[in-house]
């Protein structure tokens, strides 16, 4: 059951990312709203899920993925809070 949840959530996160990419491709060039917040949140979920829910063959790869996950989490939170402040 744990594998079903692990890979099911990965499939859900990837589908959210695909939906966001499709949505952004269909936007008109004059769209005045924020177009990247959903993608940033989906990437935050993806990197954290990959870093903490899967075992990787080397400790270096695990550490690199966790650093990427924490870095993207910090960037994403700053980006989202900045967008709330600007609006």
């Amino acid at each position: 059951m744990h594998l079903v949840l692990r890979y099911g959530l990965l499939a859900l996160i990837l589908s959210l990312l695909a939906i966001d990419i499709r949505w952004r491709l269909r936007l008109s060039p004059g769209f005045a709203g924020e177009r990247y917040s959903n993608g940033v949140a989906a990437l935050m979920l993806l990197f954290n899920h990959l870093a903490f829910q899967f075992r990787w063959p080397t400790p270096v790869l695990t550490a690199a993925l966790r650093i990427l996950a924490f870095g993207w989490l910090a960037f994403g939170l700053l980006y989202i809070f900045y967008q709330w402040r600007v609006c």
Side-chain angles (χ1 to χ4, degrees):
M1 185 65 169
H2 191 263
L3 286 176
V4 173
L5 293 175
R6 182 183 298 167
Y7 287 103
L9 188 57
L10 180 62
L12 179 67
I13 293 169
L14 290 175
S15 66
L16 286 173
L17 194 57
I19 289 169
D20 178 63
I21 291 170
R22 183 174 176 224
W23 176 75
R24 273 191 279 135
L25 289 175
R26 299 177 96 187
L27 286 176
S28 66
F31 180 72
E34 174 53 40
R35 62 176 71 210
Y36 299 112
S37 292
N38 291 336
V40 169
L43 286 173
M44 286 168 49
L45 287 171
L46 177 66
F47 292 146
N48 279 297
H49 189 70
L50 288 175
F52 293 103
Q53 294 298 319
F54 293 96
R55 289 188 178 245
W56 298 98
T58 63
V60 174
L61 183 59
T62 302
L65 279 171
R66 289 184 179 180
I67 290 169
L68 175 68
F70 281 124
W72 194 264
L73 181 67
F75 167 75
L77 289 175
L78 288 173
Y79 182 82
I80 290 169
F81 286 132
Y82 176 76
Q83 290 302 321
W84 282 353
R85 187 182 62 83
V86 170
C87 293

